[in-house]
Amino acid sequence: MRALVTGALGQLGRALRRRTDEGRVPAGWEGAHVDWADLAEINIAEAASVDAWFDAHEPYDVVVNCAAMTNVDGCERNFPAAFAANALGPMNLARACARTGAALVHVSTDYVFPGTEPGERVEGDVPAPISAYGRSKLAGEGLALAANPRTHVVRTAWLYGEGHNFVATMLRLAARGDAVTVVDDQFGNPTSADDLSGELMRIALTDLFGTWHCTNEGTCSWADLAEEAFRLAGADCRVVRCSTEEWRRMNPTTAVRPRHSSLANARLEQTIGNSMRPWREALADYIAQTTDREA
Ligand SMILES: NC(=O)c1ccc[n+]([C@@H]2O[C@H](COP(=O)([O-])OP(=O)(O)OC[C@H]3O[C@@H](n4cnc5c(N)ncnc54)[C@H](OP(=O)(O)O)[C@@H]3O)[C@@H](O)[C@H]2O)c1
């Protein structure tokens, strides 16, 4: 197995690297040669940058794209940059993969859905994004699938790992104050980058190309997630719940986010099995490991 991981310094890229270094990989990934590239090595938004890398390296069996512009508010302010990274980027990678015979695993988001209906979305539900980030990511899905039929699009949600994420921000705020105001009417699936990285490796070993949903199991609000993180970390901080409307009055420039964006891992369940744990279990491991690393 020869693999390339782009966006290697992001949360998901780091999780894949840690899992690989620690040998916690499915059988097909044992002994794999993996190249790790971030923006300094490959700018996925530039076809020339992608092509130069592929021309300088032996063909890959699989490319896992973890690179993206993930700042949801930033995408709203600069759609051209969002489109370049999140739509043209996967297209450039998919074209290079098709040219060299590689499969592509491209990571996408629950924010492709509008979030107007309660309940969980399955892979076949019709997307209709309401933010610039969601629109750029949906375009990336379509362009990648069109450019390389051997593409897996894996939608995930509310990711946390090593890097910038909601849980880390909440724990930082809790260290500074005794209360944090958090939205309690947006619902989704908090997902461990480490758990997702293992599932991506399993998906990459299949030829069941197309769209997958992959999140930890269970749904909660951002306020529920903050409260659980504080409980697990033993942080002495109160969550003050607010509505999206109240939040937007306090923060008028933030992007609109879907209200109900929970995903069901339906295709995993129907095919190779769903190994994703309940979100609280995964979060407990993350907080224990983060505390260990900081100790
Ligand atoms: N984070 C979430 O809550 C969430 C939720 C749902 C889906 N996802 C998806 O999951 C995937 C991984 O997310 P993540 O949280 O690991 O992201 P992340 O931590 O923001 O990492 C993304 C990485 O990609 C790099 N990058 C940005 N633009 C690039 C470009 N043009 N070429 C090459 N590299 C570039 C970034 O570099 P810089 O830091 O230097 O910009 C960063 O190292 C993404 O596809 C994201 O859309 C994330």
Side-chain angles (χ1 to χ4, degrees):
M1 160 79 87
R2 279 182 54 80
L4 167 68
V5 174
T6 52
L9 293 179
Q11 301 191 82
L12 184 56
R14 284 178 196 271
L16 275 164
R17 181 143 205 180
R18 186 176 285 274
R19 180 173 284 276
T20 304
D21 290 349
E22 293 174 358
R24 293 182 290 119
V25 297
W29 281 80
E30 279 166 10
H33 169 96
V34 186
D35 287 335
W36 306 94
D38 202 80
L39 193 51
E41 291 77 36
I42 308 178
N43 179 358
I44 64 164
E46 304 282 344
S49 169
V50 172
D51 290 344
W53 180 279
F54 276 74
D55 290 346
H57 293 80
E58 294 291 309
Y60 296 106
D61 297 300
V62 65
V63 173
V64 184
N65 178 33
C66 305
M69 181 168 168
T70 57
N71 178 336
V72 176
D73 297 327
C75 290
E76 214 65 46
R77 288 190 296 270
N78 190 349
F79 187 70
F83 192 83
N86 295 343
L88 300 181
M91 180 188 76
N92 292 331
L93 285 172
R95 283 184 174 166
C97 286
R99 178 165 63 81
T100 56
L104 174 65
V105 178
H106 170 60
V107 182
S108 192
T109 172
D110 55 332
Y111 279 24
V112 297
F113 291 110
T116 42
E117 280 173 61
E120 296 178 320
R121 303 280 77 77
V122 295
E123 289 85 350
D125 284 341
V126 178
I130 55 172
S131 64
Y133 171 68
R135 284 193 293 278
S136 67
K137 293 292 291 185
L138 182 62
E141 293 185 0
L143 289 167
L145 287 163
N148 183 5
R150 299 183 65 231
T151 293
H152 299 281
V153 166
V154 185
R155 296 185 184 134
T156 192
W158 294 25
L159 208 57
Y160 58 83
E162 285 177 62
H164 293 294
N165 64 73
F166 175 83
V167 175
T169 302
M170 288 299 114
L171 294 177
R172 210 170 45 246
L173 291 175
R176 288 201 220 128
D178 56 7
V180 189
T181 303
V182 189
V183 169
D184 78 343
D185 61 359
Q186 289 170 24
F187 301 91
N189 318 104
T191 298
S192 147
D194 183 54
D195 285 10
L196 174 63
S197 70
E199 214 69 342
L200 287 184
M201 287 181 161
R202 295 176 64 233
I203 290 171
L205 292 170
T206 76
D207 56 5
L208 303 170
F209 302 108
T211 305
W212 304 79
H213 287 179
C214 186
T215 62
N216 279 124
E217 289 295 312
T219 296
C220 68
S221 71
W222 291 113
D224 297 334
L225 175 55
E227 229 161 45
E228 184 66 359
F230 293 165
R231 190 186 71 76
L232 290 164
D236 188 12
C237 187
R238 199 163 49 87
V239 172
V240 178
R241 290 169 180 262
C242 76
S243 67
T244 299
E245 271 185 9
E246 286 166 329
W247 177 261
R248 282 181 66 79
R249 269 201 297 276
M250 292 182 278
N251 303 276
T253 60
T254 52
V256 181
R257 287 162 167 79
R259 191 153 180 173
H260 302 280
S261 63
S262 290
L263 304 179
N265 300 340
R267 192 147 178 243
L268 278 170
E269 264 152 29
Q270 290 154 9
T271 56
I272 58 173
N274 176 21
S275 314
M276 297 300 279
R277 300 180 279 176
W279 70 266
R280 282 191 172 80
E281 268 178 43
L283 183 68
D285 275 359
Y286 171 74
I287 289 187
Q289 281 157 15
T290 308
T291 317
D292 276 358
R293 254 179 243 139
E294 284 166 3

XYZ file of all heavy atoms in Angstrom, residues 64-140:
549
model
N -5.606 10.328 0.679
C -6.613 10.737 1.664
C -6.514 12.247 1.814
O -5.486 12.770 2.265
C -6.378 10.052 3.032
C -7.493 10.427 4.005
C -6.293 8.540 2.873
N -7.578 12.943 1.424
C -7.529 14.411 1.460
C -8.139 14.950 2.750
O -9.359 14.981 2.924
C -8.274 15.012 0.269
C -8.247 16.533 0.340
O -7.262 17.112 0.823
N -9.297 17.176 -0.111
N -7.262 15.401 3.644
C -7.705 16.032 4.898
C -7.542 17.543 4.820
O -7.781 18.240 5.803
C -6.872 15.522 6.068
S -6.853 13.748 6.239
N -7.080 18.061 3.683
C -6.854 19.510 3.551
C -8.168 20.207 3.245
O -8.967 19.722 2.448
C -5.857 19.775 2.422
N -8.381 21.347 3.889
C -9.595 22.122 3.629
C -9.471 23.470 4.311
O -8.654 23.648 5.211
C -10.827 21.394 4.176
N -10.303 24.417 3.853
C -10.475 25.662 4.604
C -11.669 25.414 5.518
O -12.812 25.335 5.053
C -10.734 26.818 3.631
C -10.900 28.152 4.314
S -10.833 29.489 3.068
C -11.417 30.866 4.061
N -11.396 25.259 6.804
C -12.446 24.801 7.731
C -13.027 25.919 8.597
O -13.906 25.660 9.410
C -11.891 23.702 8.657
O -10.746 24.221 9.342
C -11.501 22.459 7.890
N -12.506 27.130 8.435
C -13.017 28.255 9.215
C -14.350 28.708 8.594
O -14.377 29.394 7.572
C -11.968 29.382 9.183
C -12.435 30.609 9.929
O -13.633 30.850 10.100
N -11.489 31.398 10.369
N -15.446 28.292 9.226
C -16.783 28.485 8.631
C -17.078 29.976 8.439
O -17.589 30.384 7.390
C -17.852 27.795 9.513
C -19.258 28.062 8.984
C -17.588 26.287 9.573
N -16.724 30.796 9.401
C -16.963 32.245 9.258
C -16.014 32.841 8.224
O -16.399 33.716 7.443
C -16.803 32.945 10.618
C -17.841 32.446 11.620
O -18.965 32.108 11.194
O -17.525 32.377 12.823
N -14.789 32.356 8.192
C -13.803 32.825 7.212
C -14.258 32.521 5.788
O -14.047 33.318 4.868
N -14.887 31.369 5.578
C -15.396 31.004 4.234
C -16.460 32.000 3.788
O -16.548 32.339 2.608
C -15.980 29.596 4.249
S -14.750 28.290 4.424
N -17.279 32.464 4.747
C -18.334 33.426 4.424
C -17.710 34.732 3.928
O -18.210 35.356 2.997
C -19.146 33.689 5.703
C -20.611 33.938 5.508
C -21.349 32.727 4.949
O -21.140 31.587 5.431
O -22.134 32.937 4.022
N -16.592 35.119 4.567
C -15.943 36.397 4.220
C -15.163 36.297 2.921
O -14.975 37.289 2.239
C -14.989 36.820 5.361
C -15.718 37.304 6.618
C -14.735 37.927 7.593
N -13.758 36.958 8.091
C -13.929 36.212 9.183
N -15.029 36.328 9.890
N -12.992 35.368 9.579
N -14.661 35.095 2.598
C -13.806 34.955 1.417
C -14.190 33.686 0.651
O -13.511 32.661 0.738
C -12.330 34.923 1.846
C -11.396 35.026 0.653
O -11.822 34.917 -0.500
N -10.105 35.233 0.926
N -15.309 33.781 -0.090
C -15.783 32.592 -0.808
C -14.794 32.122 -1.874
O -14.603 30.906 -2.036
C -17.178 32.818 -1.407
C -17.745 31.557 -1.987
C -18.141 30.506 -1.158
C -17.851 31.384 -3.357
C -18.631 29.318 -1.684
C -18.346 30.197 -3.893
C -18.731 29.166 -3.055
N -14.129 33.039 -2.605
C -13.162 32.545 -3.609
C -12.091 31.656 -2.980
O -11.735 30.609 -3.553
C -12.570 33.836 -4.187
C -13.659 34.853 -4.003
C -14.319 34.509 -2.699
N -11.601 32.034 -1.813
C -10.577 31.199 -1.155
C -11.182 29.870 -0.720
O -10.558 28.807 -0.853
C -9.991 31.937 0.048
N -12.420 29.926 -0.203
C -13.098 28.697 0.225
C -13.303 27.765 -0.967
O -13.057 26.552 -0.889
C -14.443 29.044 0.871
N -13.742 28.340 -2.087
C -14.001 27.525 -3.280
C -12.701 26.911 -3.804
O -12.663 25.746 -4.207
C -14.676 28.382 -4.366
C -15.235 27.571 -5.499
C -16.484 26.981 -5.384
C -14.504 27.374 -6.657
C -17.000 26.209 -6.424
C -15.009 26.604 -7.696
C -16.264 26.022 -7.578
N -11.621 27.694 -3.755
C -10.334 27.189 -4.253
C -9.896 25.978 -3.428
O -9.532 24.930 -3.981
C -9.289 28.300 -4.203
N -9.938 26.103 -2.102
C -9.438 25.006 -1.254
C -10.425 23.839 -1.199
O -10.028 22.675 -1.257
C -9.178 25.534 0.164
N -11.718 24.157 -1.081
C -12.705 23.116 -0.765
C -13.393 22.514 -1.989
O -14.010 21.452 -1.883
C -13.777 23.691 0.166
C -13.205 24.073 1.521
O -12.110 23.643 1.880
N -13.932 24.891 2.277
N -13.307 23.182 -3.123
C -13.945 22.647 -4.333
C -12.887 22.324 -5.398
O -12.786 21.185 -5.857
C -14.972 23.645 -4.874
N -12.057 23.340 -5.764
C -11.031 23.073 -6.780
C -9.980 22.115 -6.229
O -9.438 21.278 -6.963
C -10.373 24.383 -7.228
C -11.339 25.410 -7.841
C -10.579 26.663 -8.274
C -12.095 24.810 -9.034
N -9.695 22.207 -4.919
C -8.680 21.339 -4.299
C -8.991 19.864 -4.501
O -8.185 19.119 -5.095
N -10.143 19.385 -4.045
C -10.466 17.971 -4.273
C -10.561 17.608 -5.751
O -10.209 16.484 -6.136
C -11.814 17.781 -3.555
C -12.241 19.107 -3.058
C -11.063 20.026 -3.098
N -10.991 18.564 -6.581
C -11.031 18.267 -8.021
C -9.611 18.044 -8.557
O -9.359 17.080 -9.296
C -11.684 19.430 -8.792
C -11.752 19.176 -10.288
S -12.298 20.626 -11.214
C -10.810 21.635 -11.183
N -8.679 18.913 -8.179
C -7.290 18.764 -8.645
C -6.719 17.423 -8.183
O -6.038 16.730 -8.944
C -6.423 19.909 -8.104
C -6.804 21.249 -8.717
O -7.287 21.297 -9.852
N -6.593 22.330 -7.978
N -6.996 17.069 -6.935
C -6.491 15.784 -6.418
C -7.140 14.615 -7.153
O -6.470 13.643 -7.514
C -6.768 15.670 -4.914
C -5.886 16.503 -3.991
C -6.410 16.439 -2.563
C -4.424 16.017 -4.043
N -8.446 14.710 -7.364
C -9.166 13.607 -8.029
C -8.645 13.406 -9.450
O -8.495 12.274 -9.917
C -10.669 13.891 -8.040
N -8.363 14.514 -10.138
C -7.827 14.405 -11.509
C -6.463 13.722 -11.488
O -6.191 12.848 -12.311
C -7.680 15.799 -12.129
C -9.004 16.348 -12.583
C -8.809 17.681 -13.284
N -10.067 18.146 -13.838
C -10.280 19.376 -14.275
N -9.315 20.269 -14.230
N -11.442 19.720 -14.757
N -5.606 14.132 -10.544
C -4.266 13.531 -10.462
C -4.390 12.052 -10.087
O -3.635 11.209 -10.598
C -3.418 14.288 -9.442
N -5.335 11.731 -9.220
C -5.554 10.331 -8.842
C -6.010 9.524 -10.058
O -5.516 8.416 -10.310
C -6.615 10.231 -7.745
S -6.035 10.752 -6.132
N -6.952 10.078 -10.818
C -7.473 9.356 -11.990
C -6.342 9.110 -12.987
O -6.233 8.031 -13.570
C -8.600 10.160 -12.634
N -5.499 10.123 -13.153
C -4.385 10.027 -14.126
C -3.377 8.959 -13.720
O -2.777 8.307 -14.567
C -3.726 11.420 -14.198
C -2.536 11.548 -15.103
C -2.203 13.021 -15.367
N -1.822 13.781 -14.184
C -0.615 13.785 -13.624
N 0.336 13.017 -14.112
N -0.369 14.546 -12.567
N -3.209 8.760 -12.401
C -2.144 7.865 -11.930
C -2.687 6.569 -11.331
O -1.931 5.767 -10.786
C -1.285 8.596 -10.868
O -2.158 9.041 -9.815
C -0.560 9.793 -11.460
N -4.005 6.384 -11.381
C -4.594 5.113 -10.947
C -4.838 4.990 -9.455
O -4.944 3.876 -8.928
N -4.930 6.118 -8.746
C -5.160 6.064 -7.290
C -6.643 6.246 -6.963
O -7.367 6.932 -7.688
C -4.355 7.167 -6.594
N -7.052 5.637 -5.855
C -8.372 5.939 -5.304
C -8.230 7.194 -4.442
O -7.144 7.489 -3.932
C -8.875 4.773 -4.459
N -9.331 7.923 -4.282
C -9.309 9.134 -3.447
C -10.310 8.973 -2.308
O -11.451 8.565 -2.540
C -9.682 10.365 -4.291
C -9.848 11.694 -3.534
C -8.520 12.158 -2.922
C -10.389 12.775 -4.475
N -9.853 9.283 -1.095
C -10.781 9.407 0.033
C -10.833 10.893 0.361
O -9.828 11.478 0.778
C -10.286 8.611 1.262
C -11.259 8.803 2.432
C -10.153 7.136 0.921
N -11.972 11.502 0.115
C -12.111 12.947 0.321
C -13.084 13.189 1.477
O -14.176 12.621 1.501
C -12.620 13.611 -0.960
C -13.000 15.031 -0.751
N -12.108 15.982 -0.315
C -14.201 15.670 -0.867
C -12.725 17.143 -0.186
N -13.997 16.978 -0.506
N -12.693 14.044 2.412
C -13.503 14.243 3.618
C -14.402 15.464 3.441
O -13.944 16.529 3.018
C -12.591 14.390 4.856
C -13.437 14.558 6.115
C -11.696 13.161 4.977
N -15.681 15.285 3.735
C -16.636 16.387 3.617
C -17.404 16.558 4.935
O -16.945 16.081 5.972
C -17.552 16.172 2.410
O -18.275 17.358 2.138
N -18.538 17.210 4.878
C -19.123 17.749 6.109
C -20.645 17.619 6.178
O -21.325 17.603 5.144
C -18.760 19.245 6.216
O -19.463 19.842 7.297
C -19.133 20.013 4.954
N -21.149 17.585 7.412
C -22.599 17.648 7.657
C -23.179 18.986 7.192
O -24.385 19.092 6.964
C -22.893 17.439 9.148
C -22.147 18.421 10.050
O -21.048 18.884 9.661
O -22.646 18.725 11.148
N -22.324 20.024 7.044
C -22.831 21.348 6.678
C -23.273 21.429 5.217
O -23.669 22.490 4.753
C -21.790 22.428 6.999
C -21.787 22.838 8.470
C -22.268 21.988 9.459
C -21.307 24.069 8.876
C -22.267 22.345 10.803
C -21.299 24.444 10.219
C -21.780 23.576 11.168
O -21.779 23.949 12.499
N -23.218 20.302 4.476
C -23.823 20.297 3.130
C -25.357 20.233 3.247
O -26.050 20.477 2.268
C -23.326 19.131 2.237
C -21.840 19.241 1.992
C -23.693 17.768 2.805
N -25.861 19.914 4.447
C -27.319 19.842 4.637
C -27.833 21.150 5.252
O -27.100 21.813 5.984
C -27.677 18.662 5.545
C -27.420 17.327 4.893
C -26.392 16.504 5.332
C -28.197 16.912 3.818
C -26.143 15.287 4.711
C -27.954 15.689 3.193
C -26.928 14.874 3.641
N -29.108 21.488 4.966
C -29.628 22.759 5.479
C -29.969 22.720 6.963
O -30.024 23.760 7.616
C -30.899 22.973 4.651
C -31.330 21.599 4.234
C -30.081 20.800 4.090
N -30.249 21.518 7.482
C -30.511 21.396 8.918
C -31.886 21.871 9.329
O -32.111 22.235 10.490
N -32.811 21.850 8.393
C -34.147 22.352 8.722
C -35.033 21.286 9.359
O -36.002 21.608 10.024
C -34.832 22.884 7.444
O -34.562 21.962 6.381
C -34.291 24.246 7.054
N -34.700 20.008 9.125
C -35.550 18.930 9.651
C -34.855 18.217 10.791
O -33.702 17.810 10.653
C -35.776 17.874 8.570
C -36.816 18.211 7.562
C -36.816 17.165 6.455
O -37.062 15.989 6.743
O -36.532 17.552 5.313
N -35.564 17.989 11.914
C -34.970 17.190 12.988
C -34.690 15.765 12.503
O -35.223 15.344 11.476
C -36.053 17.182 14.075
C -36.986 18.282 13.724
C -36.903 18.473 12.249
N -33.869 15.045 13.250
C -33.555 13.665 12.860
C -32.215 13.601 12.150
O -31.506 14.600 12.047
N -31.898 12.389 11.668
C -30.576 12.146 11.075
C -30.654 12.082 9.556
O -31.622 11.572 9.007
C -30.023 10.812 11.587
C -29.764 10.798 13.070
C -29.273 9.433 13.525
O -29.792 8.416 13.025
O -28.357 9.403 14.361
N -29.623 12.592 8.919
C -29.549 12.538 7.452
C -28.762 11.290 7.038
O -27.717 10.984 7.609
C -28.821 13.767 6.895
C -29.419 15.122 7.282
C -30.635 15.495 6.437
N -31.843 14.780 6.834
C -32.586 15.086 7.910
N -32.281 16.099 8.681
N -33.665 14.384 8.198
N -29.265 10.590 6.004
C -28.524 9.469 5.416
C -27.868 9.952 4.123
O -28.156 11.051 3.638
C -29.429 8.238 5.155
C -29.948 7.677 6.467
C -30.573 8.578 4.212
N -27.002 9.087 3.584
C -26.165 9.494 2.450
C -26.978 9.938 1.247
O -26.546 10.797 0.475
C -25.232 8.334 2.053
C -24.118 8.040 3.051
C -24.530 7.112 4.187
O -25.739 6.827 4.330
O -23.643 6.676 4.946
N -28.168 9.345 1.062
C -28.965 9.656 -0.127
C -29.828 10.897 0.020
O -30.466 11.319 -0.947
N -29.867 11.499 1.206
C -30.688 12.701 1.370
C -30.120 13.846 0.533
O -28.914 13.919 0.284
C -30.737 13.105 2.853
C -31.657 12.197 3.653
O -32.503 11.516 3.029
O -31.530 12.144 4.891
N -31.024 14.732 0.135
C -30.612 15.804 -0.792
C -29.931 16.927 -0.016
O -30.515 17.500 0.901
C -31.849 16.370 -1.537
C -31.442 17.516 -2.457
C -32.540 15.269 -2.332
N -28.688 17.253 -0.381
C -28.007 18.351 0.300
C -28.507 19.707 -0.197
O -28.993 19.805 -1.325
C -26.530 18.143 -0.064
C -26.527 17.291 -1.274
C -27.843 16.588 -1.380
N -28.396 20.716 0.629
C -28.787 22.082 0.247
C -28.129 23.023 1.253
O -28.772 23.488 2.191
C -30.310 22.236 0.268
N -26.845 23.285 1.068
C -26.099 24.029 2.094
C -26.596 25.460 2.267
O -27.093 26.056 1.310
C -24.662 24.009 1.572
C -24.751 23.641 0.127
C -26.005 22.857 -0.058
N -26.432 25.986 3.490
C -26.897 27.348 3.777
C -25.732 28.289 4.083
O -25.958 29.453 4.398
C -27.900 27.342 4.959
C -27.272 26.673 6.192
C -29.202 26.655 4.565
C -28.132 26.792 7.456
N -24.499 27.777 4.023
C -23.334 28.629 4.300
C -22.345 28.530 3.144
O -22.378 27.586 2.348
C -22.640 28.164 5.586
O -22.132 26.852 5.416
N -21.426 29.490 3.087
C -20.386 29.479 2.048
C -19.514 28.231 2.213
O -19.137 27.590 1.223
C -19.539 30.748 2.159
N -19.185 27.894 3.468
C -18.393 26.674 3.724
C -19.111 25.457 3.148
O -18.533 24.666 2.407
C -18.185 26.525 5.231
C -17.576 25.207 5.672
C -16.255 24.880 5.362
C -18.323 24.296 6.417
C -15.697 23.677 5.778
C -17.770 23.092 6.849
C -16.466 22.782 6.520
O -15.922 21.592 6.935
N -20.415 25.310 3.478
C -21.190 24.162 3.007
C -21.269 24.117 1.484
O -21.141 23.051 0.879
N -21.444 25.291 0.865
C -21.531 25.329 -0.606
C -20.198 24.927 -1.234
O -20.166 24.167 -2.200
C -21.943 26.724 -1.088
C -23.425 27.014 -0.900
C -23.866 28.263 -1.656
N -23.276 29.487 -1.111
C -23.741 30.143 -0.059
N -24.813 29.700 0.578
N -23.153 31.241 0.366
N -19.104 25.418 -0.669
C -17.795 25.075 -1.244
C -17.516 23.581 -1.064
O -16.979 22.929 -1.959
C -16.685 25.925 -0.612
O -16.505 25.611 0.759
N -17.911 23.023 0.083
C -17.652 21.591 0.324
C -18.533 20.719 -0.580
O -18.085 19.689 -1.082
C -17.886 21.248 1.801
C -16.888 21.876 2.773
C -15.472 21.311 2.646
C -15.345 19.876 3.110
N -13.928 19.425 3.079
N -19.787 21.136 -0.782
C -20.664 20.346 -1.664
C -20.122 20.356 -3.096
O -20.123 19.322 -3.782
C -22.096 20.888 -1.627
C -23.092 20.095 -2.483
C -23.226 18.652 -2.008
C -24.460 20.766 -2.495
N -19.644 21.512 -3.536
C -19.049 21.582 -4.874
C -17.852 20.635 -4.956
O -17.667 19.931 -5.963
C -18.635 23.018 -5.197
N -17.045 20.589 -3.902
C -15.872 19.704 -3.881
C -16.262 18.242 -3.989
O -15.602 17.457 -4.692
